[in-house]
Amino acid sequence: MATVSLSVSTVKPLADRVFVKISPQEEKTAGGILLPDTAKEKPQVGEIVAVGPGKRNDDGSRTEPEVKVGDKVLYSKYAGTDIKLGNEDYVLLSEKDILAVVN
C-alpha cells in the first residue's frame, strides 16, 4: 500500500469546493470562565487556503468562484468534511456552504 503525505500545498479542491483553515476559537467566556473541550461549539469562521476551479455549467463552461485564497469566511455549522493536517484543523466545503465573507 502506498503512503501519501498530505500538506496544505498538496490539497487541490475540485469543482466548487474550497479548503478552509479553521480559526481558533475563544477558550474563555466574556465573564472569564474557561470552557472545556466538550462545551465548545464547532467553529464557523476560517480562512480560505485553496479554491477549486469552479462549478461546471450545463454547456461545459465553468462558473468562477466568488471567493479567493486569503478571504476570511463564515460557513454553515455542520457543513463540509473536517480534516486534520499536522496540528492544524481544516474543513473542505462546497462554495454554497459559505454564508459570508468577513472583513
Side-chain angles (χ1 to χ4, degrees):
M1 179 184 272
T3 304
V4 178
S5 173
L6 288 180
S7 70
V8 176
S9 60
T10 60
V11 176
K12 183 170 179 2
L14 301 176
D16 68 335
R17 305 262 186 327
V18 293
F19 197 53
V20 178
K21 180 179 178 186
I22 298 174
S23 297
Q25 74 183 83
E26 296 293 321
E27 297 195 9
K28 282 186 185 179
T29 64
I33 299 171
L34 289 173
L35 294 172
D37 289 339
T38 56
K40 293 180 187 174
E41 290 188 15
K42 184 176 177 184
Q44 290 180 265
V45 177
E47 182 180 343
I48 296 179
V49 293
V51 179
K55 188 174 184 177
R56 195 169 292 278
N57 297 323
D58 292 335
D59 64 357
S61 64
R62 290 201 184 265
T63 303
E64 285 289 318
E66 292 185 44
V67 293
K68 61 186 180 305
V69 173
D71 284 351
K72 235 184 153 166
V73 293
L74 176 69
Y75 54 88
S76 297
K77 186 176 270 189
Y78 298 106
T81 302
D82 295 329
I83 299 170
K84 188 168 185 87
L85 297 178
N87 295 335
E88 302 289 334
D89 291 322
Y90 297 88
V91 63
L92 187 61
L93 315 157
S94 180
E95 188 181 24
K96 68 181 179 186
D97 294 325
I98 296 175
L99 305 173
V101 175
V102 182
N103 292 329

